[in-house]
Amino acid sequence: MNFFEAIFFGIIQGLTEFLPVSSSAHIRIIGAVLGDDPGAAFTAIIQIGTEAAVLLYFRHDIARILSHWYRCLIGTNGTDMHSRFGAGDKDASMGWYIIVGTMPIVIAGVLFQKRIETSLRNLWVTVSVLIIFGLLLWYFDAKSKQIKKLDDMNMKEAALFGVGQMLALIPGVSRSGGTITFGRAMGYTREAAARVSFLMAIPAVFGAAVLETIKAIGDASSEPGFPGWGATICATIVSFIVGYMVIIAFLKIISTFSYKGFAIYRIVVAVIVAILLIAGVILPLAGPQS
C-alpha cells in the first residue's frame, strides 16, 4: 500500500465511521478490490483519528457526564445505592448507561475474537448483513415514533443499545447502524439515537483501537501492506478531519431527513459486491482474483 492509498483509506474511514453504512465493510471491500489489505495495525491506528473527532466534538458532554458520574460514585449526591448509581442525576445516569452499553461488545469481542477475525470477514457475510440491517433500519425508521430523548433512557434500554453496538463486530452491520436501528425500534428520535451511538462508541471503539495499536505496533513494519509510519500518521490525521466534518453534517442531515437514503445505499453496495463476487472479480476471503 502506497502513501496515496493510505490517505484514501483514511478518507474512507472518516467518511463511513459515523454513518450507518459500516466503515469496516467499506475498508474490507475496498481492500479486496484494490488488492491491498490495510492490515490490523494500520486499520487500528486510523480509527484513533475518527474517535478523537468524537472526543473533540462531544468534549463538553463528555466532561459533564464524567464529572457527574464521579460525584455520584463517591457519594456526593448521597451514599445510598440509588444515589451512587445516578438517581436524580441524568448525566451521572448516562455515565452508567454508557458503561452498561459497552459491556456486550467487550464480552462478545473477547469470546468470539478468532471468529470475528476469520470467518466473519467473509464478504458474503458482509453482503448479507448490509442488506438485512439496511432493511431493518429502513423499516424501523419509517414505522417507529420519535418520542424518546436521551433523558428517557433506562438501564434496560442502555443494554439493548449495547446489543446493537455488539452486532457491529460483524463487518457490514455498522456500529452506528446497529445502535441507531435499535434506538429507532425503541422509539428514540433520529438525533437521540445518533447521539447515543456516538457516546457509546467512545469507550468501546477508542479503547479497542488503542489496545490494538499497542499490540500491533511492534509488528506493523513487518505487515506486507503497511505503508510506513509517515503515511499512517497522515491517514490518521485525515480520518480525524474528515470524521469531524461528517459528525457535524450527519447530525444536521438527520434533523431534517430520514435514514432511508443510508438504507438504500447499504443495499446498493451489497448488490455491487455480490455481483463482483459472482463474477470472480474479488474473492470472499481475499483480494482480487488473479
Side-chain angles (χ1 to χ4, degrees), residues 169-192:
L169 291 170
I170 306 171
V173 171
S174 170
R175 183 198 49 74
S176 61
T179 50
I180 289 171
T181 299
F182 273 60
R184 291 295 296 118
M186 290 185 283
Y188 281 82
T189 67
R190 295 186 179 108
E191 186 175 358

Side-chain angles (χ1 to χ4, degrees), residues 79-102:
T79 56
D80 62 284
M81 190 63 68
H82 290 292
S83 297
R84 290 183 187 273
F85 277 88
D89 189 326
K90 294 295 183 181
D91 288 316
S93 296
M94 180 56 68
W96 286 112
Y97 297 155
I98 292 171
I99 291 172
V100 170
T102 301

Side-chain angles (χ1 to χ4, degrees), residues 25-36 121-124 126-127 269-290:
H26 278 73
I27 290 177
R28 172 74 183 89
I29 292 164
I30 293 171
V33 172
L34 295 178
D36 287 322
R121 288 180 60 80
N122 188 306
L123 282 175
W124 280 117
T126 302
V127 166
V269 170
V271 170
I272 292 172
V273 175
I275 292 172
L276 293 176
L277 286 167
I278 293 170
V281 177
I282 57 177
L283 299 175
L285 291 171
Q289 180 64 279
S290 58

